Amino acid sequence: MDVQSEQDFPVTRTDEEWREMLTPEQYQVMRKHGTERPGSCALLQEKRAGTFTCVGCGQPLFISRTKFESGTGWPSFDTPVEGSVEESRDTSYGMVRTECHCSQCGSHLGHVFPDGPPPTGLRYCINGVALNFEPAE
Ligand SMILES: [Zn+2]
């Protein structure tokens, strides 16, 4: 599955440019729909106030107060910054899941599941390597 190629995003880079700007793990996750090892990302423990932005383009994706501990080993959020995260249907691995990606550069972020806390009831299960954290002043 290659969602990115079917759509134009405001920020586009060639495959070579992506390889240069991302670490091999980030490239695998963000451009090849990979999944980081659960519990492997330091951002899982990030509890300060601030903003999580896209590694691919810098767009703010999630704010810290929407982050919650899901026990999955991946940073989890119940609400994205409005307009920053787009969804698509992912039927890989014999499952039907909702994939989510950055609306600005198309980088894969993770998946959305309907078992999150109120009020949204959603769980955005995100690969921490796709995020940068900017602490609030
Ligand atoms: Zn992005």
Side-chain angles (χ1 to χ4, degrees), residues 69-100:
E69 180 47 63
S70 64
T72 58
W74 290 284
S76 302
F77 304 86
D78 60 26
T79 318
V81 172
E82 198 177 348
S84 69
V85 176
E86 291 179 345
E87 299 173 5
S88 70
R89 200 173 133 93
D90 176 0
T91 55
S92 60
Y93 302 104
M95 295 180 274
V96 179
R97 296 179 295 173
T98 304
E99 181 271 353
C100 64

Side-chain angles (χ1 to χ4, degrees), residues 34-75:
T35 300
E36 72 188 10
R37 199 162 44 79
S40 66
C41 184
L43 282 185
L44 189 58
Q45 315 300 339
E46 182 57 67
K47 291 185 168 56
R48 287 174 293 169
T51 308
F52 294 87
T53 60
C54 176
V55 165
C57 69
Q59 170 168 243
L61 299 174
F62 298 97
I63 50 174
S64 54
R65 68 178 158 77
T66 67
K67 186 173 188 288
F68 66 98
E69 180 47 63
S70 64
T72 58
W74 290 284

Side-chain angles (χ1 to χ4, degrees), residues 11 13 18 30-31 53-59 61 84 101-107 109 130:
V11 173
R13 305 184 206 283
W18 283 118
M30 298 169 66
R31 308 311 304 176
T53 60
C54 176
V55 165
C57 69
Q59 170 168 243
L61 299 174
S84 69
H101 54 268
C102 173
S103 65
Q104 194 159 278
C105 69
S107 291
L109 303 171

